[in-house]
Amino acid sequence: MIEDHQAPPAQQPAPPGKSPRKKRGPQSTYKERQQRNAKAGYPLTAALRRTGAKRKPKRNTRHWRQALAIGKAYKSGDEREITKEELVLARTVVPAHHFDAEPDLMETAFVPYRLLSPYQRTQEFGRIFDELYREYRKRYWAKDTWLHPRVFLHSWPDGEIVALWQARQHADLLGLPYRYYLRQAFGHCFAAGYQRCPAPNQIWRDPVVEAVECAAKKGVELAAFKEYRPGVLHPVFLAENYRGHPVQVAAHDDLVAKIKQYPTTFKLGSILANDKTMPESIARERFGDAQVDKALAEHRPFNPRALGEPMPCDVVPKPGCFGNQRAASIVCQKCHVIEACQTLQADIGAALTARYGSEEPRASKQTSDATERKRRQRERERLDREAGRQAGPEDGLKRG
């Protein structure tokens, strides 16, 4: 049987003096991608998103100099200087009244986060938010697009920094791990019919917070245990550094409450023999000798952590709200570092005054911007009166 094959079209000879044009591969120029998307009816903003090119997010370079100061403080290793520079940057962006709740949130925040400053906790919250945002975006919408990750808080726009700060405060109020809170918030938004990934200012609205709180009542043991891993845990919470500090006691209370919900002794054996985040003496005091002996006998540790050198006895961990002293807060009134906190707060105010001319740079900028808008409005009205005409809304819009 003879098959009827269609002969391939003959290749046109190239003009004299020109080499034959090669077929262009999948890589194309930016202008060609724009033209192709324009013919298909896509908006100009879709030129990069629909062709797989790397799109850089909008980054905030306004606080770059202060970010360099934070990096310099981290290199020096001085915790007081680190806290000072972080709060100087935070107070230039976040409204002052958002700092009033920080001392009280130390009592309700998830225990492993209580030794981190509000800036560091918000930075960690923003890092996890950006990670989940890129994960869901790549899974459901833009599978061929890669976004640059945002690791540092100062790289976010000012409005999103404030939104992340407020969302993080809601997670601290509920006492939840940040990854668990954000997973539940994203899931609720998608179930509610969101067509895009939620923005930072959408994950702390009342319906979202209520949905996350209802889900948390069913249990967050697995997500909470992941935050007690030695690799991500503050060294103060390790077994060799136990000194009876209140935050260490609170961590053990939280661990004991979660371990008791497991029907077997596997989790207890893992914490004692593998992770070593609880001293054996504390475990015997909380669970009894029989249960601890059974857990250690049945558990076979996999890659156990080696005990490190204990921290010096004179090192006293400072609370995460250090530098945010509030006279009306009960937590501040009974704090053991209140004098050092007041001194640091005075130094932060002096640094803000020296750099920006005010201890409240955000409020001062809003006042100066409003004054400048009013001055331009009065100038336009004066010019209109001199010209003998009455300015309407359209005329004012054209004049800016």
Side-chain angles (χ1 to χ4, degrees):
M1 181 177 180
I2 301 176
E3 297 181 358
D4 187 15
H5 290 284
Q6 185 177 1
Q11 185 177 3
Q12 297 293 334
K18 291 186 178 181
S19 59
R21 185 176 180 181
K22 297 181 180 180
K23 184 178 180 182
R24 185 177 290 273
Q27 299 294 333
S28 57
T29 63
Y30 177 85
K31 188 174 181 180
E32 290 174 346
R33 292 195 297 267
Q34 279 191 329
Q35 293 175 353
R36 183 168 63 250
N37 288 342
K39 291 180 181 179
Y42 298 141
L44 291 177
T45 55
L48 292 181
R49 185 175 68 247
R50 292 183 178 272
T51 54
K54 297 180 180 180
R55 182 174 65 86
K56 293 185 178 180
K58 182 180 179 182
R59 294 188 177 274
N60 189 359
T61 58
R62 176 169 168 258
H63 309 292
W64 184 250
R65 182 175 298 179
Q66 183 59 31
L68 293 178
I70 295 177
K72 185 178 179 180
Y74 269 99
K75 287 184 178 180
S76 67
D78 188 357
E79 294 185 1
R80 187 180 185 278
E81 190 67 20
I82 293 172
T83 304
K84 174 187 171 183
E85 298 298 339
E86 288 177 346
L87 287 176
V88 167
L89 175 57
R91 289 178 60 174
T92 60
V93 181
V94 183
H97 63 273
H98 289 329
F99 293 91
D100 296 340
E102 294 300 339
D104 297 328
L105 289 176
M106 286 294 97
E107 299 291 326
T108 60
F110 188 55
V111 181
Y113 301 150
R114 294 186 185 180
L115 295 180
L116 300 178
S117 66
Y119 182 92
Q120 294 171 354
R121 281 182 282 144
T122 307
Q123 182 168 266
E124 177 66 10
F125 188 90
R127 184 191 66 80
I128 298 175
F129 174 88
D130 180 70
E131 179 183 331
L132 296 181
Y133 182 91
R134 289 184 290 113
E135 174 187 333
Y136 284 112
R137 186 176 182 272
K138 184 176 181 180
R139 182 187 303 175
Y140 295 112
W141 292 288
K143 298 183 180 181
D144 56 349
T145 307
W146 184 83
L147 292 179
H148 288 262
R150 286 170 170 169
V151 180
F152 302 104
L153 186 62
H154 62 80
S155 63
W156 293 81
D158 287 1
E160 294 186 0
I161 292 177
V162 178
L164 289 171
W165 194 282
Q166 292 176 285
R168 188 266 308 165
Q169 287 184 329
H170 281 77
D172 287 343
L173 184 63
L174 296 177
L176 298 176
Y178 296 152
R179 189 174 297 274
Y180 178 85
Y181 178 91
L182 288 169
R183 285 280 186 191
Q184 296 297 328
F186 272 74
H188 172 77
C189 292
F190 294 146
Y194 280 50
Q195 299 298 320
R196 289 291 182 267
C197 290
N201 63 341
Q202 296 175 317
I203 58 174
W204 58 271
R205 295 176 178 176
D206 290 343
V208 179
V209 176
E210 291 174 1
V212 174
E213 187 176 7
C214 292
K217 292 179 180 179
K218 300 177 182 178
V220 293
E221 290 76 18
L222 182 60
F225 272 120
K226 289 182 179 179
E227 300 296 333
Y228 280 102
R229 291 175 299 175
V232 299
L233 200 61
H234 195 280
V236 173
F237 297 102
L238 300 179
E240 61 267 24
N241 297 323
Y242 180 72
R243 298 290 185 273
H245 192 271
V247 72
Q248 295 174 327
V249 176
H252 292 161
D253 293 341
D254 189 31
L255 276 174
V256 168
K258 290 176 170 56
I259 290 172
K260 288 183 177 179
Q261 297 181 8
Y262 278 77
T264 63
T265 60
F266 173 80
K267 186 57 68 174
L268 177 60
S270 175
I271 288 177
L272 293 177
N274 205 68
D275 298 339
K276 299 178 183 178
T277 53
M278 179 186 293
E280 186 176 338
S281 59
I282 300 298
R284 293 185 180 277
E285 180 183 343
R286 300 293 185 93
F287 296 97
D289 294 338
Q291 192 170 358
V292 172
D293 293 338
K294 180 182 178 182
L296 293 176
E298 294 179 353
H299 186 75
R300 297 293 181 268
F302 174 76
N303 193 16
R305 183 182 69 86
L307 291 176
E309 291 292 331
M311 297 175 62
C313 298
D314 56 346
V315 175
V316 179
K318 294 182 177 60
C321 59
F322 185 64
N324 292 284
Q325 191 266 339
R326 296 295 183 270
S329 175
I330 301 178
V331 178
C332 292
Q333 294 174 5
K334 61 181 181 181
C335 184
H336 64 284
V337 292
I338 184 172
E339 296 181 359
C341 186
Q342 292 173 346
T343 305
L344 177 60
Q345 195 169 8
D347 293 345
I348 293 171
L352 288 169
T353 304
R355 297 179 191 181
Y356 304 102
S358 171
E359 291 189 6
E360 301 293 341
R362 178 185 171 91
S364 300
K365 185 178 184 303
Q366 290 177 344
T367 303
S368 62
D369 291 347
T371 303
E372 178 63 20
R373 287 194 299 270
K374 195 66 178 177
R375 186 195 64 77
R376 292 198 301 265
Q377 178 187 355
R378 290 172 178 170
E379 181 67 17
R380 290 196 302 268
E381 292 175 352
R382 183 184 65 80
L383 294 175
D384 291 335
R385 286 196 302 269
E386 291 178 357
R389 65 176 182 270
Q390 183 178 3
E394 297 181 357
D395 186 59
L397 232 116
K398 292 178 183 177
R399 289 171 174 268

